[in-house]
Amino acid sequence: MTEMAKKAAKARRARLLALLTTCAALSLAGAPARAQTGGQAVGVFPVAIPAQPLDSALAAFALQTGVQAYVAPEEAAGRASAGAQGDLTPEAALTALLSGTGLTFAFSGPNAATISAAPVQAAPAPILLDTIYVGGAGSTWAPVAGIVAHRTGTGSKTDAEVIDVPASVSVITADELKARGVNDLDGALNYTAGVSTNLYGGDERYDFVAIRGFNQTTSGIYRDGLPVRTYNLTGGRVEPYGVERVEVLKGSTSTLYGANNPGGLVNMITKRPVDYKFGEVYATGGEDHLEVGADFGGPLDAEGVFTYRLTAKKQDSTSPNGVSSDDRLYLAPALTWKPTDRTALTIMADYNDRGGSNRYGIPRGSGIDPWTFLGEPDFETNDTTEWGVGFAFEHDFSNGLVFRSHGRHTELDLLSENVYAAGNRSPDVGRLAWRVDGDLSRDSIDAHVQYDLGFGRVKSRTLIGADYTTAETFEEIEQGTAGGLGDLANPVYCGRACVTLRPYYKLATEEETWGVYAQEELTLDDRWILTLGARYDEVEATATQIYGFFSLPVPIEEQAVTLRGGLTYKVDEDLSIYGTYSESFTPVLPSNQFAMLMTESEPMMGEMYELGVKWRPPGVNGLFSAAVYDLTQTNVPRYKQFSGPPYFGIEQDGEVRSRGVELEGKAELTDRTNLTLAYSYTDAEVTKSASGAYDGTRPMFIPEHTASLWLDHTIPGAGARGDVTLGLGARYVGSRFANENNTFKLDPYVVFDAMAKYQITENTALTLNVENLFDKEYVSHVETWSEPDTEFYGTPQTFRLSLRHTW
């Protein structure tokens, strides 16, 4: 890095430190954090809810009993609950919680209750006002009891009902993640409409995700609303056990979140402290797999001013090829300080050490076992060590004005070593070797104010904010060769001694992005919701490639204004229709792919039109949605050879268009039966390419049709026998192309998953999760850029048996 670049980086860090210091100072004003855990509304429950504000008491009630409470925000505001203690039925617990509040309740389903003002004697029954789903009212980071989440903080950066947001939003709750035995982000998103996973088969390097036909792996992964971008080859993976929920916002998101591809984003919400005592420990075993974990926390003092949470996991696992590892150590302590009911500061730290692996396939047509390891066991690793510390601050000025800010500092080290098939030879003769040593440092912060105002028939919610991210990476890359394996069916490995490496190049990248945004939500007669948004972004980045004594710095500086407009019409409280227009902005960042060929670039821009409907069926805790969209991205770059200097470069006249239909539903059909379903039709097309070579083709990896269904049912216990829960899921992925010119088409496939859970005692359960129940052997991807072609297979049949104890 040049001396000038070091000074610039130091100045950026100083500015970020000043912002963090300002937010920390604001925290001295002193707001409660609230969370919950799951349960089922059957019989008598151990209830332990101390006296506290009513909305947080109802959130704890939902977690401890599984019954969701609907209450108008006007009714909950300013009311306090005396709490509830003891072994109680849901009815008795609600009665105690509402005692003295002037409110009453009525059950609208087996696990849902509506709260309203108690009727005055001789007065007509009260009219229900706007209802909200109390799964942590005002805290959209909070856990949800069950699989249905009715609120989101991702769709508009405010605490909003999903049904009110003019966009497609999917939420995967912690209870759903636990039920399906999810162990990676792919698994979390497997049953989500519009999302493509398993792009490269069993690949342990990154979280590969495509949304609505666009690859979002490098730009579309977020944590607590802050970007978690992968720069060139240096990036990590999320630990699902540290996640409270996963929210997917589909379509162009730049007006709120800045630079991103137009397909959408995945926002992972970190587990945070709760204001009641809770905990769990578990152990999971399977073939070549062992993991243990714990998650516990609660108040540190009698007044609940300080609360804490500690999440930990240790995993020792071997990949299906029998050589590569998936070892993990995850530690995440968190502390919340809430000196008043209006102010809260949460500090969240984490350490994520992963001993991972690379991706490996077999030569197409070789006939060998798909999981034969053709690398080199002594030269096989993709290890990342990542640690970070972040904060979330909120202060409610109690006059409709709320200030929020959150930030995170991250450090990541990557070491990747692998041996793989040569470009023009079978691995029985010779192989290539590759080594990457990378470091990443990233700082991000977001701060905004929200102002709610009501006048007559109109309600206004104004959001104004700014965010800033700076990141630096340095990669040292070596390339070489390795010996052959002989008989591929019975490979003979030669160890590190047969691996010869030479320096290839070094890459130093710096990126600084900042943006300011504004959003206005106007609600008329509680039926019409107009959402308008605008944002200005600036991106400055430099990639410096170093070959020996020769270095080439390639800087870019790009700006963009993006707009968003949406209109929601609520037919009634449980049915809404919406339409939206939004824009996206994606800078063409220099990297190893483009730096040496970089000519003057322009950002890729996107436009999206979407129509949709959302419905909450009466008497059922459920949410169903349907959407149609038309999405176009322009200025797509591609390599091109020019007739004059610089002879080689990129041309940005490409255009990609994606149109589709998405159907999604989640419902607790009864207090014992859960349903998740999804279907997507994606018509993605390269409508324009350099020289027209790829006009009319379909982007790689993207299936035209996907569908999924998950159903689980609990059989009540009898006598000494505890409850038994059985679940079955199916995932269909349609045909897709493995190359850009669409000459190689992959077959569709269907994979089944299953679970069986036995409730040993009230707090102890034994669960069996099976991925790929019938051991379906399918090709997830074929790499066709070299000979011989390499096939990559999807995850084979996997059994995991877990014993979990909660309190």
Side-chain angles (χ1 to χ4, degrees), residues 173-344:
T173 69
D175 278 0
E176 182 179 348
L177 297 176
K178 191 179 299 182
R180 293 197 279 108
V182 167
N183 203 32
D184 53 37
L185 189 60
D186 265 15
L189 300 173
N190 274 342
Y191 288 82
T192 303
V195 179
S196 299
T197 60
N198 203 24
L199 303 186
Y200 290 101
D203 193 325
E204 302 291 342
R205 298 175 301 163
Y206 312 105
D207 292 314
F208 293 98
V209 178
I211 305 175
R212 289 188 170 179
F214 292 88
N215 195 323
Q216 304 293 148
T217 302
T218 59
S219 65
I221 308 295
Y222 284 69
R223 181 177 176 184
D224 299 323
L226 300 172
V228 185
R229 297 193 180 104
T230 297
Y231 296 87
N232 197 35
L233 299 170
T234 302
R237 303 192 73 183
V238 63
E239 173 51 60
Y241 191 58
V243 172
E244 195 63 77
R245 63 168 91 182
V246 179
E247 300 197 1
V248 183
L249 175 59
K250 302 163 198 173
S252 303
T253 62
S254 290
T255 52
L256 284 176
Y257 295 94
N260 187 21
N261 269 336
L265 62 85
V266 178
N267 186 27
M268 300 164 292
I269 310 300
T270 304
K271 288 180 176 178
R272 303 187 190 185
V274 298
D275 51 11
Y276 57 91
K277 186 178 180 180
F278 84 102
E280 74 168 23
V281 291
Y282 78 93
T284 298
E287 184 179 1
D288 297 321
H289 182 98
L290 178 63
E291 68 176 276
V292 293
D295 182 24
F296 56 89
L300 287 171
D301 60 307
E303 293 75 24
V305 174
F306 290 95
T307 53
Y308 80 100
R309 187 166 191 167
L310 179 62
T311 307
K313 173 180 174 177
K314 180 70 170 68
Q315 174 177 306
D316 291 303
S317 182
T318 302
S319 298
N321 59 37
V323 174
S324 304
S325 64
D326 184 13
D327 300 337
R328 310 180 195 179
L329 175 61
Y330 180 78
L331 296 171
L335 178 70
T336 293
W337 176 47
K338 47 177 181 180
T340 75
D341 287 339
R342 296 186 290 110
T343 305

Side-chain angles (χ1 to χ4, degrees), residues 459-671:
K459 297 176 184 177
S460 168
R461 172 169 289 177
T462 304
L463 187 75
I464 299 176
D467 54 38
Y468 173 83
T469 297
T470 179
E472 297 178 4
T473 61
F474 182 79
E475 296 175 336
E476 189 169 357
I477 300 172
E478 297 176 289
Q479 195 178 51
T481 59
L485 293 169
D487 181 7
L488 294 185
N490 298 284
V492 177
Y493 306 114
C494 54
R496 295 182 74 95
C498 73
V499 178
T500 303
L501 293 173
R502 63 184 182 280
Y504 185 27
Y505 70 87
K506 300 176 183 178
L507 179 66
T509 62
E510 302 172 26
E511 182 187 6
E512 184 177 23
T513 67
W514 69 272
V516 292
Y517 56 89
Q519 179 178 267
E520 175 63 34
E521 297 173 72
L522 291 173
T523 302
L524 175 64
D525 290 336
D526 296 327
R527 288 189 177 274
W528 297 92
I529 306 172
L530 176 65
T531 303
L532 301 173
R535 180 182 172 107
Y536 173 77
D537 278 289
E538 278 194 11
V539 177
E540 295 181 14
T542 300
T544 303
Q545 277 193 311
I546 305 167
Y547 291 88
F549 296 103
F550 173 74
S551 64
L552 175 65
V554 180
I556 70 162
E557 183 175 345
E558 296 182 347
Q559 305 85 29
V561 174
T562 49
L563 304 174
R564 178 191 187 194
L567 181 63
T568 300
Y569 174 66
K570 299 187 72 171
V571 179
D572 56 42
E573 283 302 314
D574 296 314
L575 177 64
S576 69
I577 303 170
Y578 71 90
T580 190
Y581 166 82
S582 59
E583 299 175 343
S584 68
F585 155 71
T586 313
V588 181
L589 298 176
S591 65
N592 75 317
Q593 186 179 15
F594 286 134
M596 291 297 292
L597 304 175
M598 202 73 169
T599 54
E600 187 173 343
S601 68
E602 295 289 336
M604 292 183 283
M605 303 300 293
E607 289 186 334
M608 185 194 72
Y609 298 89
E610 180 176 336
L611 294 173
V613 59
K614 301 174 186 179
W615 178 54
R616 294 187 297 215
V620 174
N621 183 23
L623 181 61
F624 293 83
S625 63
V628 295
Y629 64 88
D630 188 323
L631 209 166
T632 303
Q633 185 179 49
T634 59
N635 293 341
V636 178
R638 185 173 295 279
Y639 291 114
K640 186 174 182 179
Q641 183 173 354
F642 299 101
S643 58
Y647 299 107
F648 293 95
I650 61 170
E651 186 171 79
Q652 290 190 253
D653 64 349
E655 182 180 276
V656 178
R657 183 177 185 179
S658 178
R659 294 177 288 187
V661 178
E662 294 167 355
L663 307 175
E664 187 170 271
K666 293 185 180 184
E668 298 170 6
L669 300 178
T670 70
D671 57 349

Side-chain angles (χ1 to χ4, degrees), residues 132-154:
I132 66 170
Y133 179 85
V134 183
S139 301
T140 51
W141 53 264
V144 176
I147 66 168
V148 184
H150 291 269
R151 303 193 75 81
T152 172
T154 302

Side-chain angles (χ1 to χ4, degrees), residues 680-709:
S680 305
Y681 167 72
T682 308
D683 179 17
E685 179 184 356
V686 177
T687 51
K688 186 178 181 183
S689 62
S691 306
Y694 298 98
D695 289 5
T697 59
R698 185 179 183 84
M700 291 193 302
F701 311 124
I702 307 303
E704 191 172 25
H705 299 277
T706 61
S708 63
L709 175 68

